[in-house]
Amino acid sequence: MGLDGIIILDNMGRPIIQSGFRSSSTAYPLLHIDTVNKALQKAASPKEIDPVLYIAPYNTADDPKPSACCHVECGDIRMLCPISGDVDPLTAFAFMQTFIDILREYFGTLSVATLRDNFDVVYQLFEETLDAGGHPLTTSSNALRDIVLPPSLLNKLLNVTGANLTSTMNSGLGHASGPFSSPIPWRKAGIRHANNEIYFDICEELKAIVNKHGTTVTSIVRGKVEANSKLSGTPDCLLTFTNSKVLSDCAFHPCVRLQRWTRDRALSFVPPDGRFTLFDYRYSPSAIMANPNDAAISARDNVAIPLALKTNIDAEDNGASFDVTLSSRLSTHALENVEVELCLGQGAGGIKCALSRGLGGGGFINASGRSAEGTAGASWSYDSETTVLQWRIAIVPPSSSWSLRGSFTTSARVPRPAHAIVVRFEISSHTFSALKVDQLKVTQEQYKPYKGVRGRSSGVVEWRW
Amino acid sequence: MSAEYLNTLTENASRLGMRLQETLSEHTRDLALTRSSAAIYLDGADDKKRNIRKQLDSNSDREKLDAMKRLIALISKGRNVSEYFAQVVKNVASQNLEIRKLVYIYLLRYAEQEPDLALLSINTFQKDLTDSNPLIRAMALRVLSGIRVPMIGSIVVLAIKKCAADVSPYVRKVAALAIPKCYELDNSHLPSLIEIITTLLQDRSPLSIGSVAVAFEAVCPTRLDLIHQRYRRLCKVLLDVDEWGQVELLNLLLRYARTMLPRPMTKPEGNEIDSDLKLLLDSCEPLFQSRNPAVVLAATRVFWYAGLPSMHIKFAGPLLRLLHTSKEVERVVLSYLLVITRVETTLFTPHYKQFFLFSDDTRQVKTQKIKVLLRLLTFDNHQAILREFIDCADDVDDQVVSDSIHAIGRCANLVPESTQQCLSALVTMIKSNNDVMVSNAVLVIKNLVQGQLSSSTTHRSTSSISIISHLARKIDSIRHPAARACVIWLVGQYCSITESSAGGGSEGIADWAPDVLRKSAKSFIQEDVIVKLQIIILAAKLLVMSTQSTYSKTLELLSSYVFSLARYDPNNDVRDRARMIASLLAGVYPSLGDEQNLEERKGVVLRREQVKVVLFNGKAEAVDVDEKDEPNVLLGSLSAITGRSSLTDRILPEWLEKGVGSSLRDSPDDVPVVVVPTAFGSGPGRGGPGSVAGGQSKRGFGNQPDVLAPSGSSSGSGPGGAGAKKANGWTADLDKFYEESSSEEEDDEEDEDEEDEDEEEGEEEGSEESESGSGEEDESNSGSRGGSDGEKVKSEEDEESHDNTTRTGTGHTTSPRQEAYAENIWDK
């Protein structure tokens, strides 16, 4: 009972690497691979596949347990986690997410190529993270780094020259930093950095739905604080915010002392080394009000949408014409990497588009110092497979407006474009919550670390028409 | 001479240069090879297999490593490489850790499939169990327990026993996980395995306790009596356990609570809740802030199945948070929310907006969100939710369109005030060009109208009839067969109810009804079978209703046309239906039947009134079927997700009438709680700001004696010295420490269990901490997770016990001994 194993498929659906399966039949992993591939073939778009696929027992006499296959797509690979018996699929998904994070940390990026290059490391990671009985073992990356050495040029050099670094490091004199010697599960013992520094990135994401009258139906801002710690020794950090009231529904890294947070809303922690997510939260504009569970308040909970969209789509027989105008409501920041997506529906083709830039924000000089004039930086493309028309604008300066006009034809008599336009954007050095770090105190160590905080926000707005 | 000399010199130099270049290029070629990728192993042709055997036997580590990588690559490709087993086993004692790890990986794969060959290597593993590196010990045990030969069962039990008393909590964790495998192999070892579990349950390290819970559930799930004394400590340690262990431990504690504790009751004079249950709930509550979705759900299960309804509000926020973690998690959590909202909706009603549909949601998420929204529907929010459904009816996915239109119908049923709005929305949809939308809208309207007319309040029926007439006029544009059949049935069924306002109709039939028959008779041949069946019935109904109508002649002609077409229809059902209806009408319109055998027919001939009753009455009101989820689906079970129950599902025990006596749960661990006041008395003295900081820290890492590695000279040194040394001593060698401490204590007992050492270390730690009380830095460094008073006190207790040990000079390893020893404290 538990997670039966992990299988990694490439984008063609072929297994690249799989962990050992403790199962009566060797057909078991193959059955799961087959089921996923069949589901992928059958579905018109990957969105239609259920992430938990039920798999009927293949041999009732041998193995009466039905099983399910949980799967996640990640870049050009797909990770499968078969579970049997009565296991919460959330455990499978949580484990896969953890494993993906570990792989990312080990190899930088996660792709078929990097996995093939480092398959021996992946096998070692399988053995250390998942017991054959189906229960996770060591998943803290700081502890794992001691057991499974991350691939580095140095290691490979030493391997080639025949020097045996690993054995000396792990069994000989260096025992101080050997595996499991750290008193803190998430932090290695004896870390030394030449420069002591710690950085915090406050990343917030807005998700909102706007109805055809331009009023916000629902909006939510979730944020997370990502830290990159390069501190020596065992530092004890205390992070305080000037406006911690805007934070609600928080979830913390295990290193955070929860009681301290509940008492005076300060984060006290001994950080793991390297990158980690310190905590995530929901921005609640109404938190100043007494009772957050009051229904009346949720109306005030809406966050201002930083852009406006005017849409006009005329459906005719065998086609439609559209006219979309996007304007920024921000006054100081620019919207960056704006992507406007409209799904045109089955059988759409013959797209004609014209881009233009409206008035407003003319004199604005953007970050790179060049004047953003004309339609430079705007482009459109159409993906006939997903039938998505995409309109990209690199930078939308404050209070400027842009428009896209065009038409398309459909093979069906009645065009069925999606009833919503999805706008994605980023705003750098800006947060919706205006969360502000008051100070970071580092105790237990002598040095004065260099500290840095920056904000970044992104958004997905669904504009119905 | 000198020229000659110079000549040889240059010659030699150039030769040397060439040699250097050669070796260099050779090395760099290797370098480029390895650096470019290990993928060459994966892509490599199979003909290299020949070399593997030679490589494994070679003396060079590099060759061996290369061979092992090749083997692993072959495994990855799905080849059976068990033929190399003998060669691989030879390398199990390699000095190179990397080779050794790869060998272990190889053995773990083939130990199961080639148990006989694996037996060859048992000696090596047994030797490895005593290795100084905990990693090697753990891996050896893992391979050993993976070999499926019942013969070695007792060896495995011994190995587990040894590792269960290991100094490293990591090894103990692996030992706990090996127990289920051993049990699976040979269940005759049950008694000794239970004994090991009992020992492991005492473990003070939070690292291994989660795996012990796994072993417990797999081997002796019914022996909850073993938990009694550890229950309170397990609750307290919950927060420090690693996230996967938390999940297992929460499930175990929930089962314990349901079996052993009295059920909590909500009473007007105040809630009645057992103090031990409250302890579980209180220590479980902080876990809602875990970043791991599985932990949040396990905590939710505890509150849902063991908490009072008034406490359920605590998991509402955390569950909603999970919806934003990832698409897959969202899909699973929504299924669980459906299980919860079936019983309790008020928790999530204020947050209904979080369930609005995004266009990039997956299909499952969308349909589930619609279901959840229906559950959350109240009078206050019906406007917003209905608008959302109407918006979603435009979705690109047909499944979602159909679901949201059906939801609109349900909406009208649940909030009767919204009926008008729903109907007008549905009627607008009928005018749409979208086929799917129209057909679904018609089906829903049918159900609504039927429901309304059967509840028959006059003003409503007016609107319903006008909707039917509207549908009747739109019959040409309704192409979906099911929808067409449905409209035709509606027209036939309600053609008789005419109102003066609807007007126009002559006695008994609305004026739009005969027109529908005319149009459908014309297209009869092209219609779908279900539509044909309904046309026949419509014809019959109209005939029966129009007694002296002016249409009567036309209707009769139309009907006989329909009936004669139907009689020669290719479909059986249609022919049978036509024959049946025709003989039903034999008394009213004999001309419809088969003329030839009209005279010969026998039996009852029905009169018009009787035919009417047969045709019109007894139509059951169609109910829009609600999702048929099973009532006994458990939160956090696979069947809640796949919708299929299986026999292997966990069953949550029902509450007992009364819990078992709480004194059973008193354990030596809890004893010092009584002494709390004294401990506190000394608290401020130990004091300073540092200890305050330490006290605030909830998650700490002190007081977990065996995770912590104190410096070598722990005992004996003065308070200040201990503090300073300890601060540097984080990285000290564990094993060395044990050696030293034992030698210092002049402990000659060779066979003393290592578990014992552990505890002594704990005592060391405890005493040290209190000694170095004034050194704040060190205090909060070791982080004494003091927030809970009990913990702080524990160190006190440990100190006492230390005294005790030194006085009596006896070790204490197993629980009975410890208990006896606890009594000693009592006696004092």
Side-chain angles (χ1 to χ4, degrees):
Chain A
M1 293 280 171
L3 317 176
D4 293 330
I6 294 281
I7 306 166
I8 298 177
L9 302 184
D10 65 6
N11 48 1
M12 304 296 286
R14 284 178 306 227
I16 328 172
I17 294 177
Q18 65 185 51
S19 71
F21 277 80
R22 190 182 163 81
S23 158
S24 50
S25 164
T26 44
Y28 184 73
L30 296 175
L31 183 74
H32 282 261
I33 296 170
D34 209 40
T35 313
V36 170
N37 280 331
K38 269 196 192 133
L40 280 170
Q41 272 167 15
K42 217 163 59 182
S45 83
K47 277 204 308 190
E48 287 174 22
I49 308 168
D50 195 333
V52 185
L53 294 169
Y54 175 82
I55 292 167
Y58 54 91
N59 184 350
T60 37
D62 248 18
D63 192 355
K65 280 182 295 185
S67 56
C69 183
C70 304
H71 57 106
V72 183
E73 195 178 8
C74 180
D76 59 352
I77 65 160
R78 184 173 284 276
M79 201 179 271
L80 273 53
C81 181
I83 51 177
S84 59
D86 197 29
V87 181
D88 180 8
L90 278 186
T91 315
F93 286 121
F95 181 76
M96 281 194 277
Q97 189 55 51
T98 315
F99 197 72
I100 287 171
D101 289 345
I102 292 170
L103 290 179
R104 280 225 178 91
E105 203 186 304
Y106 264 74
F107 310 131
T109 54
L110 186 53
S111 67
V112 176
T114 52
L115 287 182
R116 287 172 68 91
D117 281 358
N118 301 293
F119 75 97
D120 52 326
V121 181
V122 181
Y123 271 103
Q124 294 184 40
L125 287 174
F126 274 141
E127 293 304 330
E128 291 306 329
T129 51
L130 189 65
D131 178 71
H135 298 277
L137 279 173
T138 314
T139 51
S140 150
S141 66
N142 269 248
L144 271 176
R145 268 168 190 276
D146 281 340
I147 327 174
V148 182
L149 289 186
S152 65
L153 186 57
L154 180 72
N155 277 343
K156 284 181 173 163
L157 265 170
L158 288 169
N159 276 340
V160 168
T161 50
N164 195 345
L165 177 80
T166 39
S167 60
T168 45
M169 262 180 72
N170 281 301
S171 56
L173 50 145
H175 207 110
S177 58
F180 311 115
S181 63
S182 167
I184 314 169
W186 59 86
R187 190 175 173 89
K188 270 203 272 194
I191 297 168
R192 288 275 162 260
H193 287 285
N195 294 318
N196 289 300
E197 43 196 19
I198 183 161
Y199 300 99
F200 297 100
D201 279 337
I202 305 176
C203 315
E204 294 188 343
E205 193 190 22
L206 165 75
K207 276 192 99 177
I209 300 178
V210 180
N211 69 9
K212 53 184 136 223
H213 309 296
T215 45
T216 312
V217 179
T218 176
S219 68
I220 185 165
V221 173
R222 286 211 62 91
K224 57 183 172 187
V225 174
E226 284 171 352
N228 189 2
S229 154
K230 291 173 188 162
L231 300 176
S232 313
T234 314
D236 201 328
C237 305
L238 182 71
L239 183 68
T240 48
F241 299 100
T242 50
N243 50 348
S244 61
K245 279 207 177 77
V246 298
L247 307 175
S248 61
D249 293 344
C250 301
F252 300 96
H253 190 274
C255 70
V256 177
R257 296 179 180 117
L258 298 176
Q259 225 167 38
R260 184 70 195 268
W261 169 257
T262 1
R263 210 191 51 205
D264 45 4
R265 294 180 87 77
L267 290 165
S268 162
F269 58 96
V270 176
D273 196 44
R275 291 181 186 281
F276 65 101
T277 302
L278 183 60
F279 75 111
D280 58 57
Y281 59 90
R282 181 172 66 84
Y283 164 45
S284 60
S286 62
I288 306 101
M289 255 75 73
N291 183 4
N293 285 318
D294 198 346
I297 282 169
S298 60
R300 263 170 286 167
D301 241 352
N302 281 336
V303 183
I305 311 288
L307 54 91
L309 209 63
K310 244 190 266 163
T311 322
N312 192 13
I313 300 183
D314 289 323
E316 299 139 17
D317 274 6
N318 299 318
S321 62
F322 53 88
D323 180 357
V324 185
T325 310
L326 177 135
S327 49
S328 167
R329 279 183 188 157
L330 290 177
S331 55
T332 50
H333 292 277
L335 297 170
E336 290 162 23
N337 300 328
V338 180
E339 287 175 18
V340 183
E341 282 180 359
L342 174 62
C343 179
L344 299 181
Q346 293 270 299
I351 323 273
K352 288 190 200 88
C353 280
L355 302 166
S356 65
R357 169 151 186 202
L359 297 169
F364 177 77
I365 310 290
N366 66 31
S368 60
R370 91 196 136 82
S371 171
E373 278 296 338
T375 54
S379 64
W380 65 273
S381 61
Y382 178 69
D383 182 347
S384 54
E385 208 156 285
T386 54
T387 71
V388 170
L389 174 70
Q390 196 180 50
W391 175 31
R392 291 166 190 272
I393 312 170
I395 290 167
V396 176
S399 56
S400 63
S401 77
W402 302 69
S403 69
L404 173 79
R405 250 181 226 98
S407 63
F408 63 92
T409 58
T410 52
S411 52
R413 197 178 64 83
V414 188
R416 265 181 80 185
H419 66 300
I421 292 180
V422 181
V423 188
R424 286 170 222 278
F425 59 87
E426 285 165 27
I427 311 171
S428 54
S429 32
H430 170 270
T431 53
F432 295 103
S433 63
L435 182 71
K436 209 167 153 16
V437 172
D438 183 29
Q439 61 167 343
L440 173 74
K441 266 194 269 185
V442 178
T443 49
Q444 307 298 331
E445 294 290 337
Q446 302 304 318
Y447 54 79
K448 271 244 164 267
Y450 179 80
K451 296 164 268 192
V453 181
R454 80 190 156 171
R456 176 156 55 88
S457 47
S458 60
V460 181
V461 177
E462 186 163 324
W463 209 285
R464 294 180 180 165
W465 51 272
Chain B
M1 183 71 185
S2 66
E4 198 182 322
Y5 182 68
L6 196 72
N7 207 12
T8 39
L9 201 69
T10 43
E11 198 176 302
N12 277 343
S14 67
R15 207 178 286 164
L16 187 71
M18 256 163 73
R19 172 80 60 82
L20 269 176
Q21 204 170 2
E22 254 171 34
T23 36
L24 206 66
S25 65
E26 192 173 297
H27 273 238
T28 40
R29 198 185 59 220
D30 277 1
L31 185 64
L33 199 97
T34 12
R35 192 172 49 182
S36 70
S37 70
I40 52 133
Y41 293 115
L42 284 178
D43 299 330
D46 287 355
D47 58 319
K48 292 211 173 151
K49 272 164 86 173
R50 277 179 283 119
N51 292 328
I52 293 180
R53 217 178 286 268
K54 211 191 290 167
Q55 279 182 311
L56 283 171
D57 286 335
S58 86
N59 286 322
S60 146
D61 276 358
R62 207 173 105 210
E63 290 282 299
K64 285 179 181 174
L65 195 61
D66 191 60
M68 282 316 297
K69 281 191 180 172
R70 262 184 228 291
L71 279 181
I72 302 286
L74 286 171
I75 292 175
S76 200
K77 284 201 241 171
R79 303 279 152 73
N80 185 351
V81 287
S82 54
E83 49 181 315
Y84 302 101
F85 204 95
Q87 276 82 15
V88 174
V89 166
K90 268 192 245 166
N91 291 310
V92 80
S94 165
Q95 283 305 304
N96 185 319
L97 195 69
E98 196 162 356
I99 294 180
R100 209 142 142 185
K101 278 199 275 192
L102 293 179
V103 169
Y104 279 135
I105 289 170
Y106 176 91
L107 293 181
L108 277 169
R109 299 268 159 146
Y110 286 101
E112 279 190 46
Q113 291 170 30
E114 309 280 340
D116 299 333
L117 284 169
L119 283 175
L120 295 173
S121 52
I122 280 180
N123 276 335
T124 328
F125 298 131
Q126 280 183 300
K127 209 168 72 201
D128 280 355
L129 287 174
T130 54
D131 196 282
S132 66
N133 190 336
L135 187 61
I136 297 285
R137 295 199 295 272
M139 285 194 105
L141 181 63
R142 260 163 40 203
V143 184
L144 203 54
S145 60
I147 302 173
R148 287 191 167 179
V149 186
M151 212 157 62
I152 61 160
S154 45
I155 297 177
V156 178
V157 173
L158 277 178
I160 294 174
K161 199 172 219 160
K162 186 174 162 53
C163 290
D166 200 277
V167 283
S168 163
Y170 173 75
V171 179
R172 294 204 296 274
K173 183 177 183 171
V174 172
L177 288 175
I179 294 174
K181 293 178 209 159
C182 182
Y183 176 66
E184 209 176 287
L185 189 70
D186 184 355
N187 54 17
S188 65
H189 296 295
L190 185 63
S192 42
L193 290 178
I194 291 183
E195 203 175 296
I196 298 171
I197 291 178
T198 319
T199 324
L200 281 168
L201 276 170
Q202 313 264 19
D203 203 324
R204 292 196 170 271
S205 163
L207 189 69
S208 54
I209 204 76
S211 311
V212 180
V214 171
F216 183 90
E217 293 280 12
V219 176
C220 50
T222 50
R223 292 291 305 277
L224 285 173
D225 55 302
L226 295 175
I227 309 287
H228 284 323
Q229 293 208 340
R230 281 108 208 166
Y231 173 79
R232 287 175 195 156
R233 199 169 54 79
L234 288 179
C235 285
K236 279 176 196 153
V237 86
L238 200 51
L239 192 59
D240 293 317
V241 176
D242 68 309
E243 43 196 20
W244 312 107
Q246 281 170 345
V247 177
E248 304 291 348
L249 201 54
L250 278 173
N251 289 339
L252 175 61
L253 289 174
L254 172 63
R255 215 159 56 79
Y256 179 87
R258 292 275 292 209
T259 329
M260 297 291 180
L261 298 179
R263 180 190 211 127
M265 301 289 224
T266 316
K267 287 183 179 165
E269 64 269 24
N271 294 333
E272 197 177 274
I273 184 161
D274 187 77
S275 66
D276 280 329
L277 184 57
K278 195 160 177 343
L279 174 68
L280 171 62
L281 294 173
D282 285 347
S283 35
C284 166
E285 197 185 327
L287 300 185
F288 285 128
Q289 291 172 316
S290 169
R291 59 181 176 162
N292 189 323
V295 176
V296 176
L297 190 92
T300 306
R301 269 169 61 91
V302 171
F303 270 71
W304 181 244
Y305 290 115
L308 290 164
S310 59
M311 295 172 172
H312 290 166
I313 189 77
K314 296 211 164 116
F315 60 70
L319 280 186
L320 289 173
R321 170 169 67 79
L322 292 189
L323 293 179
H324 300 277
T325 40
S326 75
K327 292 269 163 232
E328 293 80 21
V329 171
E330 186 179 19
R331 144 88 174 87
V332 176
V333 172
L334 277 170
S335 299
Y336 294 147
L337 282 178
L338 279 171
V339 176
I340 293 175
T341 49
R342 212 157 48 81
V343 185
E344 207 167 305
T345 57
T346 47
L347 285 180
F348 298 99
T349 318
H351 307 286
Y352 69 94
K353 285 190 171 177
Q354 298 216 23
F355 299 100
F356 282 1
L357 281 72
F358 280 93
S359 52
D360 60 346
D361 286 337
T362 57
R363 175 188 281 175
Q364 284 82 21
V365 167
K366 281 179 179 171
T367 53
Q368 280 173 325
K369 276 182 170 176
I370 291 172
K371 283 184 195 166
V372 173
L373 280 172
L374 271 178
R375 295 265 173 82
L376 302 183
L377 191 76
T378 62
F379 179 71
D380 292 324
N381 60 23
H382 81 267
Q383 290 283 347
I385 291 184
L386 184 59
R387 262 201 303 276
E388 178 67 15
F389 287 150
I390 295 171
D391 277 346
C392 294
D394 274 325
D395 201 273
V396 273
D397 192 330
D398 292 347
Q399 176 74 46
V400 178
V401 171
S402 135
D403 278 4
S404 45
I405 293 174
H406 281 276
I408 295 173
R410 298 269 306 142
C411 193
N413 286 339
L414 294 169
V415 183
E417 288 84 354
S418 68
T419 311
Q420 269 316 309
Q421 225 178 330
C422 295
L423 278 174
S424 61
L426 290 169
V427 171
T428 336
M429 286 175 193
I430 291 176
K431 291 172 192 151
S432 144
N433 291 321
N434 183 348
D435 212 29
V436 190
M437 198 188 224
V438 175
S439 54
N440 279 294
V442 167
L443 288 175
V444 173
I445 286 180
K446 186 207 98 181
N447 288 344
L448 272 183
V449 166
Q450 213 186 337
Q452 277 195 2
L453 288 174
S454 58
S455 67
S456 73
T457 33
T458 40
H459 73 280
R460 274 195 198 149
S461 57
T462 320
S463 64
S464 309
I465 292 301
S466 66
I467 288 165
I468 297 177
S469 70
H470 180 88
L471 286 176
R473 293 194 173 99
K474 286 275 290 180
I475 188 74
D476 283 338
S477 56
I478 300 170
R479 280 181 301 271
H480 197 276
R484 260 182 98 79
C486 187
V487 171
I488 292 171
W489 181 84
L490 270 179
V491 167
Q493 185 70 12
Y494 299 107
C495 63
S496 58
I497 312 165
T498 42
E499 300 275 324
S500 50
S501 55
S506 56
E507 40 12 289
I509 311 178
D511 60 347
W512 32 262
D515 202 41
V516 173
L517 183 61
R518 178 184 67 84
K519 284 175 178 165
S520 49
K522 212 157 95 184
S523 59
F524 188 87
I525 302 167
Q526 292 94 42
E527 299 287 3
D528 214 85
V529 173
I530 45 169
V531 184
K532 283 179 180 168
L533 296 178
Q534 290 305 331
I535 294 174
I536 295 167
I537 290 173
L538 172 69
K541 281 177 177 170
L542 287 178
L543 271 183
V544 174
M545 291 312 291
S546 63
T547 37
Q548 300 98 33
S549 158
T550 41
Y551 299 127
S552 167
K553 197 71 213 157
T554 333
L555 276 176
E556 217 180 312
L557 282 172
L558 266 175
S559 304
S560 54
Y561 174 65
V562 167
F563 275 91
S564 44
L565 280 179
R567 199 176 303 132
Y568 302 106
D569 197 83
N571 186 290
N572 260 340
D573 280 350
V574 177
R575 292 200 300 270
D576 285 354
R577 183 72 60 96
R579 193 166 299 125
M580 194 267 281
I581 298 285
S583 33
L584 192 68
L585 291 173
V588 191
Y589 290 99
S591 56
L592 290 175
D594 285 340
E595 284 86 355
Q596 309 97 300
N597 50 12
L598 197 61
E599 285 80 39
E600 298 142 36
R601 69 172 291 137
K602 290 183 180 100
V604 187
V605 176
L606 296 178
R607 280 173 289 118
R608 185 181 292 268
E609 296 310 313
Q610 288 169 319
V611 176
K612 253 188 210 176
V613 172
V614 171
L615 280 177
F616 286 89
N617 287 14
K619 300 285 178 272
E621 188 184 331
V623 196
D624 207 353
V625 270
D626 196 3
E627 339 77 80
K628 41 190 186 304
D629 49 7
E630 288 170 48
N632 49 1
V633 169
L634 273 187
L635 206 56
S637 66
L638 187 56
S639 41
I641 311 298
T642 55
R644 273 168 253 228
S645 62
S646 61
L647 297 170
T648 51
D649 281 1
R650 281 175 290 189
I651 297 162
L652 203 65
E654 254 318 306
W655 292 101
L656 287 188
E657 200 109 312
K658 264 186 202 162
V660 294
S662 85
S663 59
L664 273 175
R665 282 180 289 278
D666 292 338
S667 82
D669 280 341
D670 299 324
V671 172
V673 175
V674 188
V675 208
V676 163
T678 46
F680 251 121
S682 69
R686 298 172 71 197
S691 79
V692 174
Q696 286 154 359
S697 68
K698 185 169 193 190
R699 282 193 215 255
F701 18 85
N703 258 343
Q704 303 163 10
D706 31 20
V707 188
L708 197 75
S711 66
S713 61
S714 49
S715 59
S717 56
K725 272 200 177 151
K726 216 179 121 207
N728 304 334
W730 287 104
T731 57
D733 183 337
L734 254 187
D735 297 339
K736 212 178 279 169
F737 162 66
Y738 289 118
E739 277 163 33
E740 282 181 31
S741 64
S742 54
S743 65
E744 267 168 48
E745 283 166 28
E746 291 171 9
D747 204 336
D748 295 339
E749 283 178 84
E750 294 279 330
D751 55 341
E752 194 180 25
D753 231 62
E754 277 176 303
E755 176 76 14
D756 196 7
E757 285 187 358
D758 266 5
E759 255 151 53
E760 262 167 26
E761 187 205 345
E763 288 147 21
E764 247 29 289
E765 170 62 24
S767 59
E768 188 179 71
E769 214 164 278
S770 49
E771 269 169 9
S772 62
S774 54
E776 316 99 349
E777 223 184 323
D778 142 56
E779 161 102 32
S780 50
N781 197 354
S782 66
S784 77
R785 47 163 265 156
S788 46
D789 305 320
E791 288 298 325
K792 216 181 243 174
V793 172
K794 206 175 279 167
S795 70
E796 203 93 327
E797 177 229 354
D798 283 339
E799 196 183 354
E800 277 182 6
S801 56
H802 186 54
D803 292 341
N804 210 346
T805 331
T806 43
R807 206 178 302 144
T808 54
T810 53
H812 49 283
T813 35
T814 50
S815 70
R817 274 210 218 160
Q818 209 173 34
E819 272 166 32
Y821 157 69
E823 280 163 24
N824 273 349
I825 302 179
W826 271 119
D827 292 344
K828 274 202 301 177

